[in-house]
Amino acid sequence: MSSSLQFEIQDMNTGNSGNVASVVVTGPGLPAGGLRHLRPLTGGAWPIDGSSTFNYYYLTSNCNGLPNAGLSDSAIAALPATPEYTFTAYESDGTTVAKFSGFDIVYKHSFHGRPMTLAEAAAASYPAFTTTPALASYSGGSDFAINATGLNPGFAAQFFVNLMAGPSGGAQDQADVAPSAAGTASKTFNLPVQGSVLYRNMFVSTYDSNWREIVLRDNTTTAE
């Protein structure tokens, strides 16, 4: 069980921000200097500099070996109910604030709810899913069907599957699916066949009434 913050930063139009090399996020629950997200060479979401958990910042966790800030439940509960975060873009030197049309590139965004404590996460309603075939036996080259229940029908659910064949090999796919009024949804993926899969992971996520993402994960590692 874990509670985290995730800032999904992407550059959808480099014509507006080609001079931006990183974005620093500051706000409640974060380190004093904030979290610096670096522009990736291949596009997509910007990872946190020096982090092994990509763009997730784990406030607390009871999962073995997962790096986290070690915040107590009382510290998380004391965060503002609707915390505001500031996003400041920087040029390649890491200190010069990037500009667009003469204005500093700085944004502010408020969340609808603070992160959950571990106790709240344990009591939350999670989605459930079944897969055909089982994740542990899927190596691509055929359909992989996910059927999920317990989804909030007011939000799109995210389905994700990933096959890692090595340090730089593998395949992954994701989709946003609108649940039925009963909170069910399904998605079928068909990833390219992988000769030797070292790690498999997938998740299905939904949202609570405070727009907080509730994620159920599954993963398997192949021993060598």
Side-chain angles (χ1 to χ4, degrees), residues 2-4 59-60 73 76-77 113-122 124-126 208 212-214:
S2 304
S3 180
S4 68
L59 302 176
T60 184
D73 272 11
I76 296 173
R114 62 159 173 77
M116 291 184 183
T117 65
L118 274 186
E120 290 168 338
S125 296
Y126 285 81
D208 70 3
R212 295 179 294 196
E213 190 174 19
I214 310 295

Side-chain angles (χ1 to χ4, degrees), residues 1 5-7 40 42 44 71-73 83 95 101 112 120 126-127 130 142 147 161 164 169 171 185 197 205:
M1 198 77 65
L5 287 164
Q6 180 191 28
F7 301 100
T42 57
L71 268 66
S72 65
D73 272 11
T95 58
S101 296
H112 288 79
E120 290 168 338
Y126 285 81
T130 59
S142 60
N147 295 289
V161 61
M164 292 184 63
V197 179
S205 70

Side-chain angles (χ1 to χ4, degrees), residues 68-177:
N68 67 90
L71 268 66
S72 65
D73 272 11
S74 59
I76 296 173
L79 296 177
T82 55
E84 181 182 81
Y85 295 90
T86 300
F87 299 72
T88 305
Y90 289 91
E91 295 184 5
S92 58
D93 63 6
T95 58
T96 302
V97 177
K99 297 180 182 294
F100 177 71
S101 296
F103 295 93
D104 291 348
I105 303 177
V106 179
Y107 294 91
K108 293 182 181 291
H109 179 77
S110 295
F111 285 5
H112 288 79
R114 62 159 173 77
M116 291 184 183
T117 65
L118 274 186
E120 290 168 338
S125 296
Y126 285 81
F129 58 76
T130 59
T131 69
T132 305
L135 177 64
S137 64
Y138 184 61
S139 297
S142 60
D143 286 349
F144 182 75
I146 306 172
N147 295 289
T149 60
L151 305 171
N152 185 342
F155 296 86
Q158 186 177 95
F159 290 67
F160 174 85
V161 61
N162 177 39
L163 303 176
M164 292 184 63
S168 60
Q172 65 180 41
D173 200 358
Q174 72 89 29
D176 294 328
V177 182

